[in-house]
Amino acid sequence: MMINLDDDTNKESNPTCFISYSWDNEEHKEWVMYLASRLQSNGIKVTLDEWHLQAGGDLHLFMEESIRNCNYVVIVLTPNYAKKANNREGGVGYENSIITGNIHKHLRQVKYIPIIKSGNLDNSIPEYLAGKKYIPFLEEGKFEENLKALVHALYKKKMNDIPPLGPNPFSKKEISNHHTSLKNNNDIIENEFINTDEILNEENNKYILIENGKKVPYVNSKSVSNAECVIYANILVEEYENAFCLQHFESSLHIDNLEYIIERYYSTFYTDHHRVSAFNINQETCSWFGYGPLNFITAIKDQYYRYKDLKRRGEKIYHHEIAYFIDEWKDGIFFIGGQPSKVTGKEDSVTVDKISIGFIFKKMPFDTNKYNDFFGYFDETHLFYENFTSSLETKEMNTQINNETYVIDDPYKKNGGWVCGIVGNNSEEINFSDSSFVDKIIVNFNTYHELNDKCKYIITSAKSISLPTKCFTAKIINYKANWDLL
């Protein structure tokens, strides 16, 4: 859910803000992008270099226009930011020059809002911001509380109501019983700040498939032999060679319950820097694969129509589907899968049987309570953490591949997004699955290229990891490739 503001919020005007920060490291940049996305989800139009400054754009002009045109400048303070600002170093130093030249114009109105991400008052606040009231984002557990304060500031809303003025206790007038009824604006219901729909849509659009110039939720591929559920995803395979696993089993779940569990996962672990989500649905003659949690649910609900299309094409159907969804996040991989049942044309009649729901951790998690809470949805849960030694496989290649469908990263950029992969034609030379063959695979690039580029693609390697499921076999394969402009 989004943050609730007072009823008199001006819904016709959305505040705008520019985020000024230093490029301390990749983790810090990801945190800033997450903050920006949360502000966006609360109706605040954010200008951010990672979103709006194209390659080759003038950085100084971008800073000047952003600071001048936005209602607010949110300044993310760290010791490195303060050092660069005080010494006039790099982009931070240039922004500092612009801000210090304008800050005296806004003494009676708030335009510059500092927030402290790391460090302390002594080493994180630049000289020109001394005396400014700041919002501390130092404690990770208080992110939502501080976000609420920032959103209220950007909407010019008070966090708490001022109590009504009572009578003068020393007045000669007779004092009647005076009771003040105060609304407690600090009461926060569980997950008040979490907009699950926003999170699911964001994850669903991190990677999209473009087939024949149109966006598609999943790709259809022909399968041969008994199907192994193969998920094509650009994950950090090596980090799971010696890991831990936690999983739960259910005999059957209705599709609505499955959808709720996925929503519960993202609402529970929404701050954990999700990288990529992908899925595969496989049976003996066909395979369907794509990206995103909403597309996964759509593909399962589409079973009747998928099978109807196969019958129309005269293909033999064996109803033994296996469906798996994975999401790689900060601490590991979340997976959920099972066997979708044969259904009628009604979407709400779908069930999934023999469900596996679990996590693969890079290392034993420090806080295990949130996982127990996550699985608290089930009446009976027998959870135990076990060592997981993955059957990690690698294969070096040097094979050209033809493309049919593009995989697009960041589709909201003005140039239409970056091509980060293709759906290519598989061959016996390339195939990296032991028990089955599919005629199409997703190949991920080491570097991205623009959508309109004409390229030649060479697969350089493939790596795989098997999920520790006990019901059906499932594997993640990461094909890597380079490209050359034609």
Side-chain angles (χ1 to χ4, degrees):
M1 297 175 63
M2 291 187 292
I3 294 172
N4 293 322
L5 300 174
D6 300 335
D7 293 337
D8 62 344
T9 298
N10 183 0
K11 295 182 174 63
E12 296 180 356
S13 178
N14 293 77
T16 60
C17 79
F18 170 68
I19 298 184
S20 173
Y21 69 105
S22 57
W23 295 355
D24 293 6
N25 50 53
E26 285 301 317
E27 183 177 359
H28 182 59
K29 288 171 68 175
E30 289 181 6
W31 186 91
V32 171
M33 290 182 68
Y34 177 71
L35 174 68
S37 67
R38 294 299 305 280
L39 293 177
Q40 282 271 135
S41 69
N42 280 281
I44 298 159
K45 299 177 182 177
V46 177
T47 298
L48 188 68
D49 56 356
E50 289 290 310
W51 292 351
H52 299 100
L53 181 61
Q54 295 187 9
D58 189 291
L59 180 61
H60 289 176
L61 179 61
F62 171 77
M63 293 176 183
E64 291 176 7
E65 291 181 342
S66 299
I67 292 173
R68 181 176 65 250
N69 296 333
C70 288
N71 303 134
Y72 299 96
V73 177
V74 175
I75 306 170
V76 183
L77 300 178
T78 64
N80 190 44
Y81 186 102
K83 175 178 175 294
K84 289 183 175 181
N86 291 333
N87 296 331
R88 300 294 197 272
E89 295 177 3
V92 169
Y94 188 78
E95 288 176 0
N96 171 265
S97 301
I98 302 171
I99 294 172
T100 53
N102 287 274
I103 201 168
H104 69 279
K105 299 178 183 178
H106 303 279
L107 293 178
R108 294 187 180 276
Q109 67 181 80
V110 176
K111 181 179 176 74
Y112 301 97
I113 303 177
I115 67 175
I116 300 182
K117 173 61 174 68
S118 62
N120 52 53
L121 296 179
D122 295 327
N123 62 11
S124 292
I125 299 183
E127 296 171 358
Y128 74 98
L129 289 175
K132 285 281 186 184
K133 185 177 180 179
Y134 61 89
I135 300 174
F137 278 75
L138 296 169
E139 296 182 40
E140 186 175 344
K142 293 186 176 181
F143 178 89
E144 299 298 333
E145 177 183 340
N146 297 322
L147 175 67
K148 183 178 181 181
L150 179 57
V151 170
H152 276 72
L154 294 171
Y155 275 102
K156 296 182 181 179
K157 296 296 175 182
K158 295 183 177 68
M159 283 286 288
N160 300 297
D161 291 334
I162 299 175
L165 184 66
N168 184 343
F170 301 102
S171 171
K172 293 183 180 180
K173 294 181 180 180
E174 182 178 353
I175 303 175
S176 60
N177 290 333
H178 183 81
H179 299 285
T180 302
S181 178
L182 297 178
K183 178 185 177 182
N184 187 356
N185 288 334
N186 292 323
D187 287 343
I188 302 175
I189 62 173
E190 183 182 3
N191 291 339
E192 178 186 352
F193 303 130
I194 302 172
N195 185 338
T196 307
D197 291 339
E198 193 79 28
I199 295 171
L200 288 171
N201 278 289
E202 180 182 347
E203 295 301 320
N204 211 59
N205 288 312
K206 276 187 177 178
Y207 296 94
I208 63 173
L209 295 166
I210 303 294
E211 189 173 46
N212 298 322
K214 296 182 180 180
K215 178 180 176 180
V216 294
Y218 50 85
V219 172
N220 177 29
S221 176
K222 289 186 178 181
S223 296
V224 179
S225 181
N226 189 19
E228 175 184 45
C229 201
V230 177
I231 305 160
Y232 302 106
N234 189 12
I235 67 166
L236 304 176
V237 178
E238 292 85 351
E239 299 194 13
Y240 308 104
E241 190 167 6
N242 293 291
F244 291 88
C245 177
L246 174 69
Q247 66 179 303
H248 169 79
F249 302 97
E250 282 286 316
S251 59
S252 182
L253 286 174
H254 188 273
I255 186 64
D256 290 344
N257 299 97
L258 185 71
E259 189 170 2
Y260 173 75
I261 292 169
I262 291 177
E263 292 176 356
R264 185 181 179 90
Y265 162 71
Y266 281 108
S267 63
T268 303
F269 302 96
Y270 63 96
T271 62
D272 291 312
H273 306 292
H274 300 272
R275 293 187 64 249
V276 58
S277 59
F279 65 89
N280 177 260
I281 303 174
N282 210 333
Q283 52 108 301
E284 293 188 30
T285 61
C286 278
S287 181
W288 298 268
F289 47 80
Y291 297 96
L294 299 180
N295 288 335
F296 174 62
I297 296 296
T298 297
I300 292 179
K301 288 182 176 180
D302 279 354
Q303 186 188 85
Y304 172 80
Y305 304 100
R306 290 190 278 107
Y307 279 28
K308 188 174 181 180
D309 183 59
L310 293 180
K311 291 178 180 178
R312 181 181 57 81
R313 290 184 288 173
E315 298 187 18
K316 191 174 182 179
I317 298 173
Y318 301 89
H319 177 71
H320 294 291
E321 279 193 350
I322 307 170
Y324 267 90
F325 169 83
I326 65 105
D327 179 82
E328 186 181 36
W329 51 296
K330 181 186 67 172
D331 291 338
I333 295 173
F334 169 74
F335 62 87
I336 182 169
Q339 188 174 49
S341 68
K342 194 168 185 176
V343 298
T344 65
K346 296 182 179 180
E347 291 183 348
D348 59 4
S349 68
V350 181
T351 61
V352 182
D353 304 323
K354 301 178 182 177
I355 300 286
S356 294
I357 306 164
F359 295 87
I360 302 173
F361 304 103
K362 301 172 187 176
K363 57 183 179 181
M364 187 68 180
F366 176 77
D367 180 11
T368 59
N369 289 327
K370 60 182 179 181
Y371 301 103
N372 292 328
D373 292 340
F374 169 76
F375 286 110
Y377 166 77
F378 302 101
D379 293 332
E380 294 185 8
T381 306
H382 303 285
L383 297 174
F384 58 93
Y385 294 82
E386 56 184 342
N387 290 321
F388 167 57
T389 302
S390 66
S391 55
L392 180 64
E393 298 179 65
T394 61
K395 184 178 181 181
E396 300 301 319
M397 301 181 187
N398 185 26
T399 306
Q400 186 170 340
I401 186 170
N402 297 320
N403 70 297
E404 293 185 354
T405 304
Y406 292 108
V407 181
I408 306 295
D409 172 46
D410 196 357
Y412 301 107
K413 288 191 175 180
K414 291 182 179 179
N415 64 356
W418 293 95
V419 178
C420 62
I422 59 169
V423 178
N425 296 323
N426 199 2
S427 67
E428 293 295 341
E429 181 182 2
I430 299 171
N431 191 54
F432 199 52
S433 178
D434 299 329
S435 61
S436 64
F437 177 86
V438 291
D439 66 350
K440 296 176 185 176
I441 58 175
I442 294 182
V443 180
N444 304 298
F445 299 153
N446 296 306
T447 58
Y448 301 171
H449 68 75
E450 294 188 16
L451 182 58
N452 294 327
D453 291 337
K454 301 298 182 182
C455 302
K456 176 178 70 174
Y457 305 105
I458 304 293
I459 297 182
T460 58
S461 66
K463 296 182 180 180
S464 75
I465 177 176
S466 295
L467 295 179
T469 59
K470 297 180 180 178
C471 294
F472 305 103
T473 58
K475 179 183 290 186
I476 304 171
I477 298 181
N478 183 11
Y479 286 97
K480 301 292 285 187
N482 293 324
W483 53 268
D484 290 315
L485 291 174
L486 294 176

